[in-house]
Amino acid sequence: MSGPLVVLVGPMGVGKSTVGELLAGRLGTGYRDTDADVVATAGKPIAEIFYDEGEDHFRALERDAVRAAVAEHTGVLSLGGGAVLDESTRALLADRPVVYLSMDVDEAVKRVGLNTARPLLAVNPRRQWRELMEARRHLYTEVARTVVATDERTPEEVAQAVLDALELPDGAPSGRENTP
Ligand code: S3P
């Protein structure tokens, strides 16, 4: 099956982008992020899409962005924290090398806090994060081949744990970029 070498899922603030970029460097491949793809398509930041057009519109853009990235990208791919809410996205991820980056609530509030760029946590981060995780934890687990806990680990340690879990070669180019 062609497609991404690694797909990172997990809640906002867990470090998908930081770890994803590190992993791409270690694997000698490219990094792609569906949040960035949605922003490029919409021509505005995610918070503005939520406020101007609403969450449903954002989710539709996100679903299309995931579909395109899974079809086109052969490197490391990060999905926005809510992408797994969509059933067709979850089906698309079946049998893919999906890693769930997890963290506990204290770590989440420390890392995300009152970050207005993340509209879903803008009012009461601790309570909202708990509610989001109650709704989503089983979805992350369902799509993931493996779970890597990020609490008290540096991004480098998390990247190493992902490489180990997926048994990917450290530092070697994947060789998949040129595979027909
Ligand atoms: C969201 C997570 C964000 C972004 C949007 C919604 C979510 O992505 O897609 O703010 O529903 O959890 P990150 O997980 O990359 O922050």
Side-chain angles (χ1 to χ4, degrees):
M1 188 189 285
S2 68
L5 206 48
V6 183
V7 182
L8 298 177
V9 300
M12 59 190 96
V14 77
K16 295 180 297 264
S17 306
T18 307
V19 170
E21 281 173 9
L22 278 172
L23 276 171
R26 296 273 292 268
L27 290 162
T29 188
Y31 174 70
R32 186 161 165 174
D33 179 335
T34 59
D35 281 341
D37 293 347
V38 169
V39 169
T41 302
K44 55 173 125 174
I46 288 173
E48 279 184 41
I49 307 172
F50 267 73
Y51 295 134
D52 293 347
E53 282 98 20
E55 182 171 350
D56 287 353
H57 181 70
F58 171 78
R59 294 298 171 205
L61 294 177
E62 181 173 57
R63 186 173 55 238
D64 292 347
V66 174
R67 208 150 260 66
V70 169
E72 295 161 8
H73 187 61
T74 54
V76 178
L77 176 67
S78 290
L79 306 190
V84 296
L85 292 168
D86 183 79
E87 193 180 345
S88 63
T89 292
R90 296 200 298 280
L92 190 71
L93 296 176
D95 301 323
R96 304 259 173 202
V98 180
V99 178
Y100 165 23
L101 298 184
S102 71
M103 67 178 163
D104 70 23
V105 64
D106 291 336
E107 190 77 21
V109 172
K110 201 164 66 192
R111 290 191 207 172
V112 183
L114 285 166
N115 181 344
T116 50
R118 290 190 163 103
L120 291 176
L121 295 187
V123 180
N124 180 342
R126 182 172 290 271
R127 181 172 56 78
Q128 288 171 309
W129 197 83
R130 274 192 206 285
E131 285 173 6
L132 280 183
M133 286 309 292
E134 273 161 30
R136 296 179 179 179
R137 192 175 284 109
H138 70 288
L139 302 177
Y140 293 135
T141 309
E142 176 189 322
V143 297
R145 191 174 288 182
T146 186
V147 184
V148 171
T150 66
D151 308 289
E152 291 169 27
R153 274 175 159 169
T154 64
E156 288 77 12
E157 289 168 340
V158 174
Q160 185 61 54
V162 172
L163 292 174
D164 293 345
L166 291 180
E167 299 182 354
L168 288 166
D170 181 7
S174 69
R176 294 180 46 158
E177 306 295 288
N178 299 321
T179 309

